[in-house]
Amino acid sequence: MNKLLKLSNVSLNYTIDNNSINILKNISFEVDYKETISIVGESGSGKTSLIMLIGGLEKNSAGNIFFKDSEISNMTEDEISEIRRKNIGIVFQSFYLIPNYTALENVSLSLEINKLDNATKKAKEILDRFGLSNRFNNLPSQLSGGEQQRVAIARSVVMKPELILADEPTGNLDSENTENISSLLFNYIKDENASLIMVTHDNNLANLTKRKIIIKDGVISENQ
Amino acid sequence: MKINDLSLYSKYAFRDLLRSYSKILSIIITLLISLFILSAILTIEDSLENELNENSKVLLGGDLEIDYNNREGDKNLIKQVENISTVSQIVEFSTMISTIEKKQNKTSFTRIKAIDQNYPLYGDVIFEPVGSLKKLNEIDNTILVNENIFKNLNLKINDIVKVQNIKFKVIGVVKVLPDIGGAFVFGDFALTGKKTLDKLELNTLGSFLNYEYKIKFDDYKNKDKKINEIKKIFKNNDKVKIRYPENSAGGIKRIIDNFSQFLSLVSISAMLIAGIGIANTLLSFINQKNSSIAVQKAIGINSGNIKTIYYLQLLISLIFISLVAYGLSFFLVPVVDKYISDGLGLNIQASFSLTNLFIVFMVGLLVIIIFSIPTVNSIDQIKASSLFRNVFQSLQFKYSKLSISLSLLLLTILISLFAFRSSIPTYSLIYFASFFVCLAVFFYVSRFIILLLRNNLFNLGISSKIAIKNITQSKSITPITVMSLGLGMTLLLTLAFVGSNFKREIAKSIPEIAPDYFFLGIQNNQKNLFKKIIIDTDKEAVTEIVPMVSAGLVKINGIDPNTYISNSNDSYWVIMNDRRVSWVNTIPKDNPILEGSWWDTSKPNKLQISLDSKVAKDFGVNIGDKFTLRIYGREIEGEVVNFRLVNYQDLSINFAMLLNPQFAENIPHEYLSTIKFKNIKSFNEVNFLDKFPSVSIIKISDYLSKVTDVLNKVFIAVSIISAVTVIIGLVVISSAIIVQRKIKIFQNLVFKILGFSKKEIIMSSIIEFIISFLSIIFFSTIFAVLASKFIIENIFQLKWLFEINIFFYVTIGVGVATLALIIITNFRYLSPKVYPLVRNE
């Protein structure tokens, strides 16, 4: 198949008070290795739900999701956790650093969970690469918003995942930090040959990706 | 889980704990207090038992004791013993000591030990001045009195006192005796030389005379051989009892066992109340960690491993808390030692016990697991997808069939651990059953209050409306307040009611029923003179005088009762030693016959026995059974003809066994008398003793004041320890309020914006408290009344009354403390800063 990711007729429904709500309907697309994709659309269109499905954080109601030939829709939570921790890095809009862990500990957490040697050394290298060499031992509360997002990106890429999922990575940042973070993220992806699926409202950011998927009312309206 | 994983998760657990222990401080405090109490009980109990075991020879006074009861030992046999060991002869007797040179002379009923030069064979007598102990056997008519006699009789060294009609010089004060296994534990005592004994007129019954021969093996290695030789020497002498060190201080051991059983139950109550707080605080802690847990899940750590991290945090905390609690308990031992040393002459020292540390840790672990299972399981409710939505649902306790079964299994193990370690497991099981019934009732009471107030039937002021809203909201602390405080209050009220009823009943028996004096050892030829003197002193004095003889119950239906009745039997005292028995023509007024018939006068030559119905029940005796009594060394068989209801509580003359006078009156005997004077001041003890030097006088009010004093101290100690459950309850409530911190601050901020005054907000807290507390008082009182009534009426067989004063003291005391705590804890949240909250910081 030689595709990093393949979604085939994927749907997501929620049932609230006996009413079924269709969040995503018959979504199908493929992602190549080293490809960068932005997902855009109005609020409530289903963008975030889509990357939650891709990351295995939600179960699809119908269809199939293949990650490197393995169908993740039928996997148990533990099996998906195993794939996620080795192959997928996630960047959130609100950073979500663990508040009582230092920057270094937040980054080394993924490495340690995967039982990699020299976790601290590798975490320091990536933080150093992201310009945070003087912030190793600071807690998140002692960092600026831009610094926090750099730590969060460092945490998501430290395992050198093949796929990075980013949900509005610059949504909580000012324009200067937005520019810094986006160049940092895209330079990294280019250098490490990773793939990126990014949800964003920011057209400038979306234009940096190779492909743009527009979602409207839970269906793909454009796949450019 | 692999070792590597465990090591990694332990590292995270340790790190998390170090950085956020302040958020689980209430868990740490409640666990520490309750485990400290448990550790203290175990350590003190262990130290006391070690002391008793290690010093069993000291407590017995020798490697062996030959007890000849009230007869002097066979000199030939004792001589044979002296050939293989060192023997110290001790004669104990009770008599009166009086001052004769004071402006106002006084008397004291005293147990005197007449000792020889070999005393003590083991241990030390603590006395002053130096050398006075040795002088007892060098100088005639010398005596060492204990500190209490010295103080009460206002004595000085070299003062002269009178024992019977002999003058003695007080040459010193004795503070501690090593061999306290006998009757020397609580009463006044004195030491005199063996030679002096011959000068006194000791009567076997009234003096409670006892001859003991303490034996020390010079070559302890051949102990067993020598014990066998001694057994052979006394093989044909069934009047002699041989006691071994392991039998010494059996009574003290029983008291320690019972007391520690009760305190253990109090400590486990505190632990279970703490468990309610642990569950609540832990849920709040995990709620605060909601997003961090979601991040961990997003990174790829599964729910099971995250739960492991939290369990490991609890485990690490528990290891630390157990060690600290157990270590702290060692500091309590010297405090207890001070009181024990003064009272019992024991010198206890804390000693490390791995078993006790393990028990403390295991109890803590069981409580933590039982209460944290539904809380830690709530981690399953956290979803990594929440990170995208930035919306975190508040977590709820998660119960499953498996977790409920596991909790019940662990609870059963916990209860078994306490129940089957205790001396009376049934009592422990009843206690636990009552505890859980109370817990369930308090839980449903809290739900009922919420349901009642939710219907909003009331048209009240704004403070009341806020209070009702606080009580009925989904995260209300009402259930926790009602359960934790309700259980503590129930325990405290129960003990207070038991204590006050007990003390009142004892105090009440002095003026109403009890005589003023007991007179022991009135000889046959003194009886008439005794009566005359009493009448001359006070014509209206009520005198009861009965014959008395010493008898040992040696066989029941031909079998030695010691072979099948254990010393845990309530009536064991009847067969333990010789008892005093009496005879009377008519049925005693306060001893109604429950079964059988009074004396058959057609059989004056047959011994007939009237038995205490309680003893009959405890021994399984039926009417018509045969008792063999040993009186003056002669065995006489008699028939049990009736059972009497004997009430020892009234302190009048009562006997477990009464004999038919037609048979018994020819037996040589003494008299025992009780007197209730119309005008007690007309009786002068010193003048009386001039005329009856060998008679012993026990003043009931003195005796009862000593008993009441001891009971007061015991109840104060028990109440203080029981108050721990209330303290734990208060910590739990305080932590529950702190858990609500965010809600409270936000609520108070909104109130502030809307223009509410602090007074109105505080008032709402007070109203909220009053609503909960009134229901707590109501149900705690019902439980405490039922439990204390059962204990007083069925166990102590006393009259129970509702003590309104005690009720007010306890409820107002606990109420004020709780209210103060609630206001202080809430006060911090009364003035929230508006800016950070409106900016959602």
Side-chain angles (χ1 to χ4, degrees), chain B residues 129-148:
Chain B
V130 177
S132 53
L133 183 69
K134 203 178 167 197
K135 283 183 190 166
L136 288 178
N137 278 299
E138 292 170 355
I139 308 168
D140 283 358
N141 295 1
T142 50
I143 194 165
L144 292 176
V145 295
N146 76 341
E147 286 176 301
N148 203 37

Side-chain angles (χ1 to χ4, degrees), chain A residues 49 96 100 105 112 115, chain B residues 5 11-12 19 389-390:
Chain A
S49 297
Y96 286 120
N100 58 343
E105 287 163 353
E112 287 170 343
K115 302 182 190 74
Chain B
D5 291 347
K11 182 182 131 185
Y12 290 145
R19 293 178 188 175
R389 305 284 184 213
N390 204 11

Side-chain angles (χ1 to χ4, degrees), chain B residues 198-251:
Chain B
D198 302 330
K199 298 179 181 176
L200 298 169
E201 289 175 38
L202 297 176
N203 41 73
T204 55
L205 299 182
S207 303
F208 297 94
L209 193 60
N210 206 64
Y211 288 85
E212 296 158 6
Y213 297 85
K214 313 279 185 180
I215 291 160
K216 184 180 183 180
F217 302 128
D218 305 321
D219 175 15
Y220 195 72
K221 283 177 191 165
N222 292 321
K223 171 189 84 158
D224 294 338
K225 192 181 154 203
K226 291 192 172 178
I227 288 175
N228 285 333
E229 284 177 41
I230 288 169
K231 276 184 182 171
K232 269 185 201 165
I233 294 170
F234 294 99
K235 192 173 65 179
N236 297 321
N237 196 335
D238 58 357
K239 292 165 194 130
V240 163
K241 277 196 174 170
I242 299 177
R243 291 207 180 87
Y244 303 93
E246 54 268 30
N247 307 131
S248 66

Side-chain angles (χ1 to χ4, degrees), chain A residues 81-126:
Chain A
S81 291
E82 187 74 16
I83 286 185
R84 194 163 53 234
R85 76 188 195 200
K86 287 184 175 156
N87 300 290
I88 302 172
I90 305 175
V91 182
F92 304 99
Q93 179 179 356
S94 299
F95 325 138
Y96 286 120
L97 297 175
I98 297 176
N100 58 343
Y101 280 27
T102 63
L104 187 62
E105 287 163 353
N106 264 287
V107 176
S108 61
L109 180 65
S110 301
L111 296 161
E112 287 170 343
I113 293 295
N114 283 290
K115 302 182 190 74
L116 294 184
D117 293 336
N118 302 320
T120 307
K121 190 181 164 212
K122 285 175 184 164
K124 279 183 178 174
E125 281 170 7
I126 193 82

Side-chain angles (χ1 to χ4, degrees), chain B residues 207-419:
Chain B
S207 303
F208 297 94
L209 193 60
N210 206 64
Y211 288 85
E212 296 158 6
Y213 297 85
K214 313 279 185 180
I215 291 160
K216 184 180 183 180
F217 302 128
D218 305 321
D219 175 15
Y220 195 72
K221 283 177 191 165
N222 292 321
K223 171 189 84 158
D224 294 338
K225 192 181 154 203
K226 291 192 172 178
I227 288 175
N228 285 333
E229 284 177 41
I230 288 169
K231 276 184 182 171
K232 269 185 201 165
I233 294 170
F234 294 99
K235 192 173 65 179
N236 297 321
N237 196 335
D238 58 357
K239 292 165 194 130
V240 163
K241 277 196 174 170
I242 299 177
R243 291 207 180 87
Y244 303 93
E246 54 268 30
N247 307 131
S248 66
I252 300 173
K253 277 183 183 168
R254 249 196 321 278
I255 292 169
I256 293 167
D257 283 349
N258 290 336
F259 203 56
S260 60
Q261 177 183 0
F262 166 74
L263 294 180
S264 298
L265 291 174
V266 173
S267 77
I268 190 60
S269 306
M271 295 242 26
L272 291 171
I273 295 170
I276 299 168
I278 288 169
N280 190 48
T281 310
L282 194 60
L283 187 68
S284 154
F285 180 59
I286 292 173
N287 255 317
Q288 288 172 41
K289 297 271 182 177
N290 207 321
S291 67
S292 298
I293 294 169
V295 169
Q296 287 171 329
K297 287 192 173 184
I299 286 171
I301 308 178
N302 65 34
S303 205
N305 290 338
I306 296 170
K307 284 191 233 172
T308 306
I309 294 173
Y310 280 85
Y311 279 122
L312 283 171
Q313 286 190 53
L314 291 172
L315 186 70
I316 294 165
S317 308
L318 181 66
I319 291 170
F320 175 73
I321 293 165
S322 304
L323 287 171
V324 173
Y326 187 67
L328 284 176
S329 73
F330 280 52
F331 291 100
L332 211 58
V333 174
V335 179
V336 175
D337 179 52
K338 187 174 162 34
Y339 292 99
I340 297 282
S341 295
D342 289 352
L344 303 180
L346 295 175
N347 178 23
I348 62 164
Q349 286 177 335
S351 58
F352 176 77
S353 158
L354 198 60
T355 313
N356 283 346
L357 179 59
F358 180 72
I359 291 172
V360 168
F361 173 75
M362 276 308 293
V363 168
L365 186 66
L366 286 168
V367 169
I368 276 190
I369 295 177
I370 291 166
F371 285 95
S372 63
I373 286 174
T375 316
V376 176
N377 277 351
S378 70
I379 285 173
D380 292 336
Q381 296 161 8
I382 300 173
K383 290 186 172 179
S385 55
S386 308
L387 297 168
F388 292 101
R389 305 284 184 213
N390 204 11
V391 174
F392 295 94
Q393 290 295 322
S394 209
L395 304 178
Q396 304 294 326
F397 294 115
K398 188 184 171 192
Y399 298 97
S400 64
K401 278 181 187 169
L402 181 71
S403 69
I404 291 169
S405 310
L406 185 61
S407 294
L408 288 175
L409 176 71
L410 295 175
L411 191 62
T412 310
I413 294 172
L414 180 69
I415 290 170
S416 308
L417 192 70
F418 275 85

Side-chain angles (χ1 to χ4, degrees), chain B residues 21 80 83 95 131 155 195 209-210 215 231 263 295 322 329 333 408 452 462 472 531 563 578 682 689 703 787 805 834:
Chain B
Y21 68 89
Q80 288 179 47
N83 290 335
T95 190
L155 292 172
K195 280 195 288 181
L209 193 60
N210 206 64
I215 291 160
K231 276 184 182 171
L263 294 180
V295 169
S322 304
S329 73
V333 174
L408 288 175
L452 188 73
I462 190 65
T472 55
K531 280 184 176 173
T563 57
D578 283 10
S682 61
L689 285 172
Y703 171 74
N805 291 346
V834 179

Side-chain angles (χ1 to χ4, degrees), chain B residues 175 217 436 445 491 571 641 742 825:
Chain B
K175 293 179 175 175
F217 302 128
F436 288 111
V445 165
L491 192 62
S571 298
V641 294
K742 270 192 178 177
T825 318

